[in-house]
Amino acid sequence: MTPPSLEHIAFGLGIVGFGCFAWPILQRLNGKVPAEAPGSGKSLRSPLWWAGFVLTIAAIFLQRIASQQAAGL
């Protein structure tokens, strides 16, 4: 794949990842998800949060690969 196409894929993954990552936080701020009692052991780290985290990390690595390929051209 060419570096520009890798950068576009990385950008798309970054947007989707950030959306998944931020959605539970936005739900909590809007009051749609009740807050847990302090020390309950629950947190904002839902499966959607983890999916966003992984997608964002994948986007960062893909962007680094694209920049290394562009430097080698």
Side-chain angles (χ1 to χ4, degrees):
M1 294 184 84
T2 63
S5 64
L6 287 176
E7 288 177 356
H8 287 103
I9 293 170
F11 186 67
L13 282 176
I15 289 172
V16 172
F18 182 72
C20 291
F21 187 69
W23 185 252
I25 296 168
L26 292 173
Q27 293 295 311
R28 176 78 52 89
L29 290 174
N30 289 333
K32 294 182 181 175
V33 176
E36 290 87 18
S40 67
K42 291 186 175 183
S43 68
L44 292 172
R45 290 180 182 92
S46 67
L48 186 63
W49 187 92
W50 283 108
F53 182 75
V54 170
L55 287 173
T56 303
I57 296 298
I60 291 169
F61 281 113
L62 193 59
Q63 205 286 322
R64 290 181 66 148
I65 290 170
S67 68
Q68 287 176 352
Q69 284 184 355
L73 292 179

